Amino acid sequence: MTHEQIMNSGLQRVSDLLKNFVTGVRVEQTAMGSSIVMRGPSSIMGSNSPLFVVDGVVIESLEEVDRLVPVETIEKLVLNKEGTGWGARGGNGVIEITTLGSNI
């Protein structure tokens, strides 16, 4: 997604963008917070959650991404389903976010 598409969406959280506009991603609300799945069964890391990378920095959870990254600062959001370039950590895919400036 580009900055323009994100701004036109009217959404305020990254999790909402993923849930409503990114195909191949399933976002569910659980008692523990949000759960996101891009691929099937869990990876070698024991989880089926994708890796979140913001401006090259790994972020631990979708909740943390929502808290740290205002959607209006996102230049682009890329779904890397294969996890190319991230080794075993990217085994469940990678959600790569580039911001207009560093926010972390």
Side-chain angles (χ1 to χ4, degrees), residues 19-31:
K19 182 189 281 186
N20 293 297
F21 289 102
V22 181
T23 58
V25 172
R26 189 175 72 240
V27 180
E28 300 170 347
Q29 296 301 319
T30 66

Side-chain angles (χ1 to χ4, degrees), residues 52-69:
F52 300 97
V53 180
V54 179
D55 294 330
V57 177
V58 174
I59 304 296
E60 294 304 319
S61 69
L62 181 55
E63 286 82 13
E64 192 173 357
V65 172
D66 276 342
R67 186 174 52 80
L68 293 174
V69 183

Side-chain angles (χ1 to χ4, degrees), residues 29-42:
Q29 296 301 319
T30 66
M32 301 299 288
S34 296
S35 169
I36 183 166
V37 178
M38 284 175 49
R39 301 183 75 175
S42 62

Side-chain angles (χ1 to χ4, degrees), residues 1 17 20 22-23 34 37 68 76 78 89 95 97-98:
M1 292 184 77
L17 290 171
N20 293 297
V22 181
T23 58
S34 296
V37 178
L68 293 174
K76 69 179 174 180
V78 175
R89 292 182 77 186
I95 295 173
I97 298 172
T98 304

Side-chain angles (χ1 to χ4, degrees), residues 79-100:
L79 190 65
N80 178 348
K81 289 185 180 182
E82 301 303 318
T84 305
W86 291 95
R89 292 182 77 186
N92 290 321
V94 181
I95 295 173
E96 299 177 77
I97 298 172
T98 304
T99 63
L100 297 168

